[in-house]
């Protein structure tokens, strides 16, 4: 085994060069997906800020609990119990400072 092969398999935890290459490529794809997800979350935060601003300006409350329950249900139905946790995190990020 060459030094590069050993480094690649140690970095990925794979036992073969072929597996290490596949894992490395898949990790690059995950990194790209994570970048897109972060961008979408940031976009969601900005849209949510617009909604909150308009709701407050019209005399409404900052948070619409019935809407939040819809979002929680949507994520739970799509992703199971962990979806609820993910939705709670998104809602927390998008509420801003209360």
């Amino acid at each position: 085994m060459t030094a590069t092969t050993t480094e690649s398999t140690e970095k990925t935890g794979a036992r073969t060069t072929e597996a290490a290459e596949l894992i490395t490529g898949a990790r690059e794809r995950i990194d790209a997906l994570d970048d897109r997800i972060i961008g979408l979350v940031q976009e969601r935060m900005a849209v949510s800020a617009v909604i909150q601003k308009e709701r407050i300006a019209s005399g409404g409350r900052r948070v619409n609990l019935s809407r939040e329950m819809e979002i929680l249900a949507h994520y739970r139905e799509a992703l199971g119990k962990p979806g609820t946790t993910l939705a709670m995190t998104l809602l927390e990020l998008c509420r801003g400072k209360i």
Side-chain angles (χ1 to χ4, degrees):
M1 236 187 237
T2 67
T4 303
T5 302
T6 301
E7 180 181 321
S8 178
T9 56
E10 286 179 5
K11 185 175 180 181
T12 63
R15 301 269 175 134
T16 66
T17 303
E18 294 79 18
E21 289 172 358
L22 187 132
I23 290 168
T24 298
R27 285 181 176 171
E28 289 171 359
R29 179 136 193 254
I30 285 175
D31 290 344
L33 289 167
D34 285 342
D35 289 341
R36 288 174 46 199
I37 291 167
I38 290 167
L40 289 170
V41 169
Q42 290 170 332
E43 182 178 346
R44 189 186 196 287
M45 291 168 66
V47 172
S48 182
V50 169
I51 292 168
Q52 289 177 43
K53 181 180 176 186
E54 289 305 312
R55 188 182 305 120
I56 292 167
S58 73
R61 298 179 67 176
R62 180 183 190 123
V63 176
N64 182 331
L65 295 178
S66 64
R67 174 63 178 151
E68 288 196 359
M69 295 306 291
E70 290 175 15
I71 294 166
L72 291 169
H74 179 68
Y75 275 77
R76 183 179 56 252
E77 289 168 10
L79 302 172
K81 187 177 177 183
T84 303
T85 304
L86 177 59
M88 288 295 293
T89 301
L90 282 170
L91 291 170
E92 182 179 351
L93 284 167
C94 292
R95 282 186 200 123
K97 296 179 183 175
I98 294 179

